[in-house]
Amino acid sequence: MSIDKIIAESTAQAVLALYGLEVSADSIVPQTTKKEFEGNLTVVVFPFLKASHKRPEETAQEIGDYLVANCEAVEKYNVIKGFLNITIKPSFWTSVLLHMTQEENYGIKPVTDDSKLVMVEYSSPNTNKPLHLGHVRNNLLGYSLAKILEANGNKVVKTNIVNDRGIHICKSMLAWLKWGEGATPESTGKKGDHLIGDYYVLFDKHYKAEVKQIAAEQGISEEEAEKQSTLMQEAREMLKKWEAGDPEVRALWRKMNEWVYAGFDETYKRMGVSFDKIYYESETYLEGKEKVLEGLEKGVFYRKEDGSVWADLTPDGLDHKLLLRSDGTSVYMTQDIGTAKLRYQDYPIDQMIYVVGNEQNYHFQVLALLLDKVGFKWGKDLIHFSYGMVELPNGKMKSREGTVVDADELMDEMIDTARAMSNEPGRLAGVPDEEKEDVLRMIGLGALKYFILKVDPRKNMLFNPQESIDFNGNTGPFIQYTYARIQSVLRKSDAADMQTDIAAYEPNEKEVELLQRLADFAGVVTEAGKSYSPAIIANYVFELAKAYNQFYHDCSILKEENAVTRAFRLQLSQMVAKVLKSGFALLGIEMPSRM
């Protein structure tokens, strides 16, 4: 049992014995004592005052006396108002370490047959362009969130919805027909998603030129000229043909999408993210249209004179929302209704989480209401994991203008930066040549992932590749280096040290500090799951790595002459490495054993 649980259960027993109040131990959450106060763990006693009928200080003192007398872990306590600061016996910390080492998956709750099933949707790419930096944050957050929820004992289904139809797809298709000259990924040597993205940018270039020409020739505004664009009319006509099942349009669409999917798969694999089920808008939008037309018949929605179908959400404090255009084509909202329907048919989902940027906050407010209105009572329970945008020193990215930071190029740059920094004296000195490329990949991608995931997901962030790969400070490489340092120590140790009986050892202050950080891991995983925040894991792992480096500096390990002390410090080091690796695994980051 963890030290937090021991104190929580003992406190619950104290409250029952002293005041006759039955409380659940799960409702008592000991916190790490603030540095300015003496103690290891703090229990807040305010919830017990109604039962004790005493002042906070008296209540805390009575509970503290009970714990000293009845809990083998507690050495002493002090009281600051309603806060009971508990000091754990030094000898008991050793049993805490031994308990941790005996747990195969320390801090991780097992998934059982009775576990809740959570579906996490992330990525949601369009097949008219490659993945970019914004997608990188989305994928890393979604994958990490799924891992964290699973570590909290949930069954998790990782899912993706691919936006493979619509006017934006037709723009790329039309541009390829007009100016592609039969280009393929093989003939150009380009990944398929990059090739198709080029034609999306090319369409926009020609479209803008056409609009300017019309405006100049007719002396009208560009806004008015847009309505006369033959290119845009052709793209809309192509979308109508696609929805009507035109054989030629559908054949071209399938061919170009296959190129894109092959490119996506390569990027996902390199990024280290995966999915259990992929849905495609082309397969879900008809389900959505069916539900919308069903709602129209029932009077839930209404049709305008131009034939378009709308939802009146003004009674819910919102506005009117378009669901079907006047030409009968559907919008994103329609597709999302259809996708939700299919998902709940496929899986017994207890909770649905959409990982989508905060620019879509309104969209998910509307989706929750619409799902409820069309008869899906679980609609209002959906969770929109709303995260901030990734910005660059020179501003936002624009796909149509080709000014995005491409995900593949970004990963290349990160690995190249790791390679350049490894040329510094002493870097990767102990890594065999055949391992170096793999280690550089782990460092480069680890730096990228950690830099993004350590930021509170709700906040906008500025991405700086150079800053992210620094081997000092709150970075991925610093934590990876700490792990590699521990592995080096363990490789140099005597196997007998790991078998030495340390049960009677009393750790010193530095060792207790490190042990307490390890003891916090299970609570951190729980908190990250409740808060939907990989940043909580990231910053915990950094603090643990920092504490270990201080311990490494202050306490001799391999050169320690006392066999029991040496064995304790080696076993403590091994446990730190295990937790560092577990924490990074929840972030989707690999750990090199040598750096």
Side-chain angles (χ1 to χ4, degrees), residues 215-327:
E217 288 175 352
Q218 299 186 22
I220 58 177
S221 69
E222 289 190 5
E223 188 175 338
E224 290 177 294
E226 286 175 358
K227 297 172 185 175
Q228 299 182 37
S229 164
T230 56
L231 261 182
M232 191 61 76
Q233 287 170 14
E234 285 182 76
R236 290 197 183 103
E237 189 59 35
M238 181 177 275
L239 177 59
K240 287 181 188 177
K241 287 182 176 180
W242 184 93
E243 294 215 357
D246 181 279
E248 286 187 18
V249 172
R250 285 288 180 123
L252 175 62
W253 169 77
R254 279 191 293 271
K255 177 171 70 175
M256 293 177 70
N257 274 352
E258 283 170 8
W259 294 345
V260 174
Y261 296 147
F264 283 170
D265 288 346
E266 193 178 320
T267 305
Y268 287 139
K269 185 177 180 181
R270 194 177 186 202
M271 200 183 297
V273 302
S274 60
F275 307 94
D276 301 305
K277 175 80 173 180
I278 297 179
Y279 291 87
Y280 298 90
E281 184 183 344
S282 57
E283 297 170 355
T284 67
Y285 84 103
L286 288 175
E287 298 281 351
K289 285 180 77 171
E290 183 183 308
K291 293 302 293 183
V292 168
L293 291 173
E294 186 183 302
L296 183 65
E297 287 180 15
K298 293 178 179 177
V300 176
F301 306 129
Y302 69 95
R303 192 187 292 276
K304 285 190 175 181
E305 290 182 4
D306 64 359
S308 59
V309 177
W310 295 72
D312 179 5
L313 301 177
T314 53
D316 301 288
L318 301 176
D319 53 12
H320 294 258
K321 179 63 184 176
L322 174 68
L323 299 177
L324 291 175
R325 299 185 185 94
S326 57
D327 60 6

Side-chain angles (χ1 to χ4, degrees), residues 167-407:
I167 191 70
H168 51 294
I169 310 298
C170 291
K171 289 176 183 178
S172 294
M173 290 164 62
L174 186 61
W176 185 85
L177 280 176
K178 285 181 172 293
W179 305 294
E181 299 179 351
T184 67
E186 291 75 23
S187 69
T188 60
K190 279 192 170 186
K191 281 178 76 217
D193 51 336
H194 286 250
L195 180 66
I196 302 309
D198 289 345
Y199 289 106
Y200 182 62
V201 174
L202 191 59
F203 177 93
D204 194 62
K205 178 182 174 184
H206 282 275
Y207 170 63
K208 283 182 175 176
E210 182 191 23
V211 167
K212 282 187 178 180
Q213 185 178 347
I214 293 170
E217 288 175 352
Q218 299 186 22
I220 58 177
S221 69
E222 289 190 5
E223 188 175 338
E224 290 177 294
E226 286 175 358
K227 297 172 185 175
Q228 299 182 37
S229 164
T230 56
L231 261 182
M232 191 61 76
Q233 287 170 14
E234 285 182 76
R236 290 197 183 103
E237 189 59 35
M238 181 177 275
L239 177 59
K240 287 181 188 177
K241 287 182 176 180
W242 184 93
E243 294 215 357
D246 181 279
E248 286 187 18
V249 172
R250 285 288 180 123
L252 175 62
W253 169 77
R254 279 191 293 271
K255 177 171 70 175
M256 293 177 70
N257 274 352
E258 283 170 8
W259 294 345
V260 174
Y261 296 147
F264 283 170
D265 288 346
E266 193 178 320
T267 305
Y268 287 139
K269 185 177 180 181
R270 194 177 186 202
M271 200 183 297
V273 302
S274 60
F275 307 94
D276 301 305
K277 175 80 173 180
I278 297 179
Y279 291 87
Y280 298 90
E281 184 183 344
S282 57
E283 297 170 355
T284 67
Y285 84 103
L286 288 175
E287 298 281 351
K289 285 180 77 171
E290 183 183 308
K291 293 302 293 183
V292 168
L293 291 173
E294 186 183 302
L296 183 65
E297 287 180 15
K298 293 178 179 177
V300 176
F301 306 129
Y302 69 95
R303 192 187 292 276
K304 285 190 175 181
E305 290 182 4
D306 64 359
S308 59
V309 177
W310 295 72
D312 179 5
L313 301 177
T314 53
D316 301 288
L318 301 176
D319 53 12
H320 294 258
K321 179 63 184 176
L322 174 68
L323 299 177
L324 291 175
R325 299 185 185 94
S326 57
D327 60 6
T329 57
S330 58
V331 295
Y332 275 126
M333 191 64 71
T334 318
Q335 164 244 300
D336 279 346
I337 293 170
T339 306
K341 176 189 172 185
L342 289 179
R343 284 174 174 162
Y344 277 85
Q345 284 178 358
D346 292 345
Y347 296 95
I349 300 170
D350 295 301
Q351 190 174 59
M352 181 71 220
I353 301 174
Y354 294 85
V355 180
V356 183
N358 57 19
E359 292 177 336
Q360 296 295 322
N361 285 352
Y362 173 75
H363 176 93
F364 285 96
Q365 272 184 282
V366 173
L367 179 61
L369 289 169
L370 292 178
L371 288 173
D372 187 65
K373 288 179 185 296
V374 298
F376 299 139
K377 295 305 174 188
W378 34 260
K380 286 186 176 178
D381 295 328
L382 70 82
I383 293 173
H384 174 206
F385 179 90
S386 174
Y387 64 89
M389 297 295 102
V390 186
E391 297 172 0
L392 298 162
N394 58 352
K396 288 188 175 181
M397 302 176 290
K398 296 178 182 176
S399 301
R400 287 190 298 275
E401 297 174 14
T403 59
V404 301
V405 175
D406 177 78

Side-chain angles (χ1 to χ4, degrees), residues 25-140:
D26 291 338
S27 69
I28 301 170
V29 184
Q31 303 290 328
T32 300
T33 303
K34 291 182 179 179
K35 287 184 177 179
E36 58 265 36
F37 303 118
E38 183 186 2
N40 303 117
L41 293 171
T42 297
V43 173
V44 180
V45 304
F46 293 110
F48 316 133
L49 299 185
K50 279 188 179 180
S52 71
H53 302 294
K54 295 177 182 175
R55 293 186 302 111
E57 293 86 348
E58 288 180 83
T59 304
Q61 189 165 346
E62 287 181 347
I63 295 172
D65 287 338
Y66 181 95
L67 293 178
V68 170
N70 297 280
C71 180
E72 61 175 343
V74 177
E75 181 181 50
K76 58 183 179 178
Y77 71 90
N78 67 83
V79 174
I80 307 292
K81 296 185 178 179
F83 299 91
L84 173 61
N85 301 321
I86 299 162
T87 299
I88 305 301
K89 292 175 184 174
S91 58
F92 195 82
W93 281 112
T94 301
S95 66
V96 171
L97 174 61
L98 291 171
H99 166 76
M100 291 177 193
T101 58
Q102 287 160 11
E103 281 195 42
E104 186 179 349
N105 296 305
Y106 169 66
I108 308 297
K109 293 175 185 169
V111 177
T112 68
D113 291 341
D114 298 325
S115 293
K116 186 168 72 173
L117 191 147
V118 182
M119 180 175 278
V120 183
E121 177 202 286
Y122 57 97
S123 199
S124 308
N126 296 323
T127 56
N128 64 319
K129 55 191 175 187
L131 303 178
H132 56 62
L133 177 55
H135 289 113
V136 172
R137 190 179 197 194
N138 179 292
N139 278 279
L140 297 182

Side-chain angles (χ1 to χ4, degrees), residues 368-489:
L369 289 169
L370 292 178
L371 288 173
D372 187 65
K373 288 179 185 296
V374 298
F376 299 139
K377 295 305 174 188
W378 34 260
K380 286 186 176 178
D381 295 328
L382 70 82
I383 293 173
H384 174 206
F385 179 90
S386 174
Y387 64 89
M389 297 295 102
V390 186
E391 297 172 0
L392 298 162
N394 58 352
K396 288 188 175 181
M397 302 176 290
K398 296 178 182 176
S399 301
R400 287 190 298 275
E401 297 174 14
T403 59
V404 301
V405 175
D406 177 78
D408 296 310
E409 291 176 6
L410 176 60
M411 288 189 282
D412 285 338
E413 180 185 342
M414 295 302 298
I415 294 168
D416 287 343
T417 304
R419 184 177 290 108
M421 295 189 76
S422 73
N423 292 329
E424 295 175 12
R427 295 286 184 212
L428 304 192
V431 181
D433 289 341
E434 61 271 20
E435 290 181 26
K436 276 189 179 175
E437 280 305 309
D438 201 35
V439 170
L440 291 171
R441 177 189 63 80
M442 290 187 203
I443 295 172
L445 297 185
L448 169 65
K449 293 179 180 185
Y450 185 81
F451 194 87
I452 286 175
L453 292 174
K454 74 177 182 179
V455 177
D456 182 336
R458 292 165 298 216
K459 295 180 179 177
N460 287 357
M461 65 171 293
L462 188 71
F463 181 71
N464 185 325
Q466 287 295 131
E467 185 182 328
S468 73
I469 211 159
D470 195 334
F471 279 75
N472 299 302
N474 190 3
T475 66
F478 167 74
I479 297 161
Q480 288 173 321
Y481 181 73
T482 303
Y483 177 82
R485 164 180 271 178
I486 297 172
Q487 295 306 309
S488 176
V489 169

